[in-house]
Amino acid sequence: MSATLFENARILDGTAEGAVEGHVLVEDGLIKDVSDRPITASGARRLDLRGRTLMPGLIDAHVHVIASEVNLARHALLPDALVAFRAAKIMHGMLMRGFTTIRDLGGATQGLRAARDEGHFEAPRMVLCGKAISSTGGHSDGRGRWDNRENAWIEARLGALGRLADGVDAVRRACREEIKAGADYIKIMANGGVASPTDPIAFLGYSRDEIRAAVEEAQMAQTYVAAHLYTDEAIGRAVECGVRSLEHCNLIEEATARKAAAAGAIACPTLVTYQALKDEGASLGLPPESVAKIDTVRVAGLESLDRMRRAGLTMAFGTDLLGEMHRHQSEEFVIRGQVLPAIEVIRSTTMHAAKLLRMEGKIGAVAPGAFGDLIVVEGDPLKDLSLLTRQGKHIPVIMQAGRFVKDAL
């Protein structure tokens, strides 16, 4: 693999309060050298970035790559091949927006990751939980009130985001099966949700014993639990039970955020999806019972960011978009920038997301030994976060593992 030398770059990865002038050498898929002095690299392709910003490849820590439709119950019935080809297209779009690593929060399979790793399609690096685990009637149960069919045949389909498990023993078995299949972490549904038909937002999806069982199984496998959470009550009990990754958190109070920070948990807000659902959900097939729940979490979203910031709770970048709304992925940057300093928004998609994914030093950093995942941005994102939007318009270079996937400088 040929070497690439980025010269005169404004390096921005969140480790400093702003961008730092320097030079970066990428070789054999990794960042080999970072220096404030010129680097000698005979034979390397040289790119002069004067006036441009060099960042690590962006990380989206909450996606659903298989979710090609908004109506998730209907989506679960689609043929696996159709879901797979649509997912490949969705992921390619993410890569072209500068996201070189993603964490899927339910639905993507090891087969889909293997296809990506074998080079059958270009996509971000994938961190997976397998199927999200939910109680009957919880956020992974797409059956309506009059639908009493067994759920097992739906769970086996690629288009299903989750599976059901009731009781401590069943939760343990579900966790073990996902870990056996190669899950990097465990995802549980510990609160009601918008896209599911029979669970109000305040619904507490699992008992404490069931949550603790999932946490113990994850810990025994040297990993962690991520939980779908909205209400302050649900977040507090999840933290007490050892959940590490707190998804959404729209209704969190500052005292609970402080408790979560003290426990070493990390939040992953996903604000853009609620605005997109409000604007487009109904027209794209979101059922009326789901539309009615959107504003409960949407309106509180920005306030939750401020509360978590004041409490010192680390926040990673996530989007949680569905169907045709995936195109809004990068608008999360601008939404967060309404409340948070731009450098904190940048850190959410670099160092904080890398910590959540337990890949510190490998992704989300411009440092020797990290993967050669880099993007070049025209201008300064700290002054204008919208430079990261518009489907990569202001990102002429995207490199993944030392290879150019976009080269328009």
Side-chain angles (χ1 to χ4, degrees):
M1 186 179 292
S2 60
T4 302
L5 178 58
F6 295 96
E7 298 180 295
N8 304 307
R10 300 179 66 259
I11 302 168
L12 176 63
D13 66 0
T15 54
E17 289 302 313
V20 178
E21 300 290 333
H23 312 267
V24 178
L25 176 63
V26 179
E27 191 172 284
D28 297 326
L30 301 175
I31 297 176
K32 184 176 182 181
D33 194 10
V34 180
S35 177
D36 59 357
R37 298 183 179 183
I39 298 172
T40 301
S42 59
R45 178 186 173 188
R46 309 171 81 92
L47 291 177
D48 189 346
L49 299 187
R50 197 175 303 277
R52 302 178 179 93
T53 301
L54 184 68
M55 294 178 60
L58 307 175
I59 305 165
D60 191 332
H62 191 125
V63 301
H64 294 286
V65 301
I66 65 157
S68 59
E69 293 187 4
V70 173
N71 187 322
L72 298 180
R74 187 174 65 198
H75 185 270
L77 305 179
L78 296 175
D80 286 2
L82 181 60
V83 174
F85 278 102
R86 287 181 176 180
K89 184 176 180 180
I90 287 169
M91 285 188 278
H92 184 261
M94 293 177 175
L95 184 61
M96 291 298 100
R97 296 180 202 107
F99 291 93
T100 55
T101 301
I102 54 175
R103 185 180 66 149
D104 188 89
L105 269 288
T109 63
Q110 302 305 317
L112 200 58
R113 176 158 64 180
R116 178 262 177 201
D117 292 348
E118 289 181 7
H120 298 297
F121 55 90
E122 287 191 334
R125 184 177 291 102
M126 300 167 67
V127 176
L128 307 182
C129 68
K131 299 295 185 183
I133 302 170
S134 165
S135 61
T136 295
H139 192 43
S140 286
D141 193 342
R143 299 172 299 174
R145 298 209 181 277
W146 317 122
D147 186 349
N148 295 316
R149 290 174 295 176
E150 289 294 326
N151 203 59
W153 73 276
I154 296 177
E155 296 171 4
R157 305 178 73 87
L158 180 58
L161 271 67
R163 58 184 294 179
L164 305 185
D166 296 304
V168 168
D169 289 345
V171 168
R172 288 190 184 279
R173 182 181 182 93
C175 291
R176 291 174 184 179
E177 287 178 349
E178 295 301 338
I179 290 165
K180 171 186 175 293
D184 300 304
Y185 68 101
I186 293 296
K187 164 75 179 299
I188 64 172
M189 301 300 196
N191 223 173
V194 171
S196 39
T198 62
D199 53 331
I201 295 299
F203 178 86
L204 296 174
Y206 271 128
S207 69
R208 292 176 185 269
D209 286 344
E210 288 168 315
I211 296 173
R212 290 191 184 103
V215 169
E216 184 178 29
E217 291 299 328
Q219 290 174 341
M220 290 193 297
Q222 312 302 306
T223 189
Y224 66 94
V225 168
H228 165 94
L229 298 160
Y230 285 131
T231 66
D232 190 68
E233 179 185 10
I235 297 165
R237 69 203 292 267
V239 170
E240 291 167 4
C241 293
V243 171
R244 175 176 181 265
S245 181
L246 312 173
E247 309 305 311
H248 314 304
C249 297
N250 297 56
L251 304 174
I252 195 169
E253 297 293 341
E254 192 170 337
T256 300
R258 287 196 298 270
K259 182 169 69 173
I266 297 175
C268 189
T270 58
L271 302 188
V272 67
T273 191
Y274 308 111
Q275 188 60 52
L277 284 168
K278 176 71 172 178
D279 295 340
E280 303 175 17
S283 66
L284 294 175
L286 190 69
E289 59 268 24
S290 293
V291 172
K293 293 189 278 186
I294 294 171
D295 274 349
T296 303
V297 292
R298 182 185 69 88
V299 175
L302 289 175
E303 292 181 10
S304 74
L305 292 184
D306 194 43
R307 290 170 183 161
M308 289 187 280
R309 178 190 61 80
R310 292 196 305 265
L313 179 57
T314 298
M315 289 178 274
F317 182 98
T319 55
D320 193 31
L321 291 158
L322 308 173
E324 296 178 26
M325 293 179 286
H326 279 107
R327 71 188 191 280
H328 297 302
Q329 184 178 26
S330 302
E331 292 166 26
E332 179 78 17
F333 290 111
V334 178
I335 293 173
R336 293 190 184 207
Q338 297 175 37
V339 177
L340 302 175
I343 188 63
E344 284 303 316
V345 180
I346 296 299
R347 286 171 176 153
S348 73
T349 194
T350 55
M351 57 193 297
H352 294 337
K355 182 178 181 180
L356 179 57
L357 273 57
R358 303 186 309 160
M359 296 179 71
E360 294 168 283
K362 301 304 292 183
I363 61 174
V366 182
F371 293 133
D373 295 358
L374 296 164
I375 64 171
V376 174
V377 183
E378 296 280 5
D380 184 358
L382 289 179
K383 294 180 179 178
D384 183 3
L385 286 167
S386 71
L387 294 174
L388 300 175
T389 67
R390 302 188 69 183
Q391 314 305 318
K393 178 180 179 180
H394 304 290
I395 304 176
V397 171
I398 302 170
M399 173 180 276
Q400 186 180 53
R403 185 176 68 88
F404 288 94
V405 294
K406 181 178 181 181
D407 187 4
L409 193 59

